[in-house]
Amino acid sequence: MIGSQGEGLKIALRTLDHTRITIGAQAVGIAQGALDFALDYVKERKQFGKAIADFQGIQFMLADMAMKLEAARQMVYVAAAKSERNDADLTFFGAAAKCFAADAAMEITTDAVQLLGGYGYTRDFPVERMMRDAKITQIYEGTNQIQRVVMARQLLKG
């Protein structure tokens, strides 16, 4: 038996506070890979005689992808530090880091697929797999809807 009798659920839920951060880190890694691949692709792909990276709309997408990625990375770092210290507000931050990073990874990988056009949807390029991998980070260790419930309960507790 781990812990005292009747404490199992409490211990299991507290464990999730720590492990959710690893899912956030996984999501950050997936998103970074998708952004890196998309950056290389848009620098090489030519349209109308110039690299598509030169088009302002593409640049806006890339900037948004990088901004969301960095915000997710910082949330995961903060949650990881709180996990190391076993801070009292870890439950909120673990759920927030997992939720935000997973949602960001889904958006970033979807944008990477779009930047590759039709190629992005084929198995010849890794971004379609990255998009599927990002999706699972929104689901396991508690869906992102559940993460929002966890966060709201923490906020309401005070």
Side-chain angles (χ1 to χ4, degrees):
M1 181 179 346
I2 298 174
S4 303
Q5 187 172 353
E7 295 290 311
L9 180 61
K10 186 178 179 180
I11 292 169
L13 292 176
R14 189 70 179 153
T15 300
L16 286 173
D17 292 343
H18 298 275
T19 59
R20 285 176 175 143
I21 300 162
T22 64
I23 306 308
Q26 177 187 14
V28 166
I30 292 165
Q32 184 69 64
L35 177 59
D36 290 347
F37 194 90
L39 280 167
D40 288 343
Y41 181 84
V42 299
K43 289 176 190 174
E44 296 296 320
R45 176 78 168 117
K46 303 259 188 268
Q47 199 61 260
F48 308 110
K50 61 182 180 177
I52 63 172
D54 293 334
F55 294 107
Q56 191 176 51
I58 300 295
Q59 293 171 1
F60 286 170
M61 284 182 74
L62 294 169
D64 284 344
M65 292 163 74
M67 181 174 50
K68 289 173 190 166
L69 175 58
E70 191 55 33
R73 185 185 329 273
Q74 294 307 315
M75 283 191 80
V76 169
Y77 286 169
V78 167
K82 287 180 176 294
S83 175
E84 285 291 311
R85 295 187 305 260
N86 210 20
D87 286 357
D89 57 357
L90 174 60
T91 299
F92 177 86
F93 279 89
K98 186 266 189 201
C99 185
F100 188 87
D103 285 349
M106 196 65 223
E107 290 177 37
I108 292 163
T109 57
T110 300
D111 285 349
V113 167
Q114 183 172 336
L115 286 169
L116 269 69
Y119 293 131
Y121 204 68
T122 69
R123 292 195 172 180
D124 296 337
F125 291 85
V127 292
E128 68 84 24
R129 179 188 47 80
M130 292 172 180
M131 187 174 71
R132 286 184 288 113
D133 291 345
K135 187 61 188 174
I136 194 64
T137 66
Q138 291 181 310
I139 297 170
Y140 60 21
E141 294 287 325
T143 64
N144 280 2
Q145 291 82 356
I146 293 300
Q147 302 314 309
R148 287 173 170 89
V149 169
V150 169
M151 287 183 281
R153 286 182 179 163
Q154 292 300 302
L155 291 169
L156 293 167
K157 256 203 295 196

